[in-house]
Amino acid sequence: MAEVDLRHYKPPSGFKACVRGILQALSAKWELRGPLRPYCHGSIVVGQVIPNLVTTAWMIAIPAAAGIHYYVGPLLGTKPLHHDLLGISAVLQLVLILVLVLFVALRNPGLIQKGHGLPEGLLPEDLDAQGWPRARSICVRNVWVRQEFCRTCMLWRPLRSKHLRDSGWCVEGFDHYCQLLGTVVGRRNYLAFIALVHFLALFTLEALVVLGVGVLPHRRRASRGGRWLETLLDSPDICCAFAYALLWLCFALRILHLHWFLIARNMTTNEYVKSHWGLGNDPQRGEVPGSYANQNPFDKGCTSNFFDVCVSGVAAA
């Protein structure tokens, strides 16, 4: 056994070791994706990354509630009727957004029931050297698409699904893993996810309008006139509220832009990131045709794609 030279070794200080251990523990807990456990006949799924969900909920609820209390609250009871309607609308939208956050996080994303063994009727040439079923091809609208057998769930993985090793399940219509909510977005909670992003964008847009049209003129009149820029610079709270709302709005619009593009082409985020369609067959993935088809066989046109997603969720086959 080789000797270790300890002459130049400097052990970390107690404070540094403590801070490093705390950061490692927090990062490990933040990225933890435990096995998903379905309840209530599979309607509710537990096992999400709770710190992500709680942090996102607080990042939305606390600033929004503070803005409603400090900015919208003083407008209530004033002469224009739309001020009262604005306050009621803001509260209802905030409650709806938080309900959608919980719904997306706890809703079953599309877990597929596990199998109980190898499928029957397989021929010896259908098995590989290890005795597992080989990947097969399925023709979808004159396009060959690759279908693989999941050795963990013991089933033929449905098209456009994916097995998540951390969760231990195959997810139907897998779209992406949402880090902010700490959960998987699939066929069954995709529409709720899209609705959440739409309401979040609308809420932040209304917040910017209230700050610019209602709160800022009120501050200007309270300061006995003055220029708009001077009033804004003399109000750091409004500047921070503007920046925070604008940040959330840009984030929501970016997500909406991506998903409206994907819905129009009937693609999932997973397919878009991995470029499943439009690259041709990849010879490194085997001789089975359809591993990477030249065209998306699920694209029925923009109108039909929107209708399919609204009726059956993401990744309609």
Side-chain angles (χ1 to χ4, degrees), residues 231-263:
T231 305
L232 183 62
L233 295 178
D234 292 338
S235 304
D237 57 330
I238 299 181
C239 292
C240 294
F242 259 115
Y244 193 79
L246 185 61
L247 180 64
W248 273 107
L249 178 62
C250 294
F251 175 73
L253 291 179
R254 179 65 184 90
I255 296 179
L256 288 179
H257 175 264
L258 172 62
H259 283 278
W260 279 114
F261 168 78
L262 295 177
I263 292 174

Side-chain angles (χ1 to χ4, degrees), residues 93 97 195-208 245 248-253 256:
Q93 288 186 63
I97 288 174
L196 170 62
V197 180
H198 276 88
F199 279 107
L200 186 60
L202 180 62
F203 184 78
T204 52
L205 180 61
E206 291 182 358
L208 292 173
W248 273 107
L249 178 62
C250 294
F251 175 73
L253 291 179
L256 288 179

Side-chain angles (χ1 to χ4, degrees), residues 13-36:
S13 62
F15 177 76
K16 290 183 178 180
C18 180
V19 172
R20 185 181 303 172
I22 293 176
L23 293 178
Q24 291 177 355
L26 291 177
S27 62
K29 191 173 183 180
W30 183 273
E31 297 177 357
L32 177 63
R33 304 180 190 177
L36 298 178

Side-chain angles (χ1 to χ4, degrees), residues 36 45 107-111 171-173 183-189:
L36 298 178
V45 172
R107 171 66 173 168
N108 186 344
L111 304 184
V171 179
E172 184 181 9
T183 189
V184 179
V185 177
R187 181 186 295 272
R188 297 187 184 179
N189 61 350

Side-chain angles (χ1 to χ4, degrees), residues 270-309:
N270 181 57
E271 293 171 347
Y272 176 73
V273 172
K274 294 186 177 181
S275 300
H276 273 57
W277 317 117
L279 294 181
N281 293 335
D282 188 354
Q284 296 182 356
R285 289 184 172 267
E287 299 178 355
V288 179
S291 56
Y292 275 56
N294 290 322
Q295 59 182 349
N296 183 3
F298 306 102
D299 187 2
K300 305 176 184 178
C302 184
T303 304
S304 298
N305 292 338
F306 277 106
F307 179 78
D308 289 343
V309 169

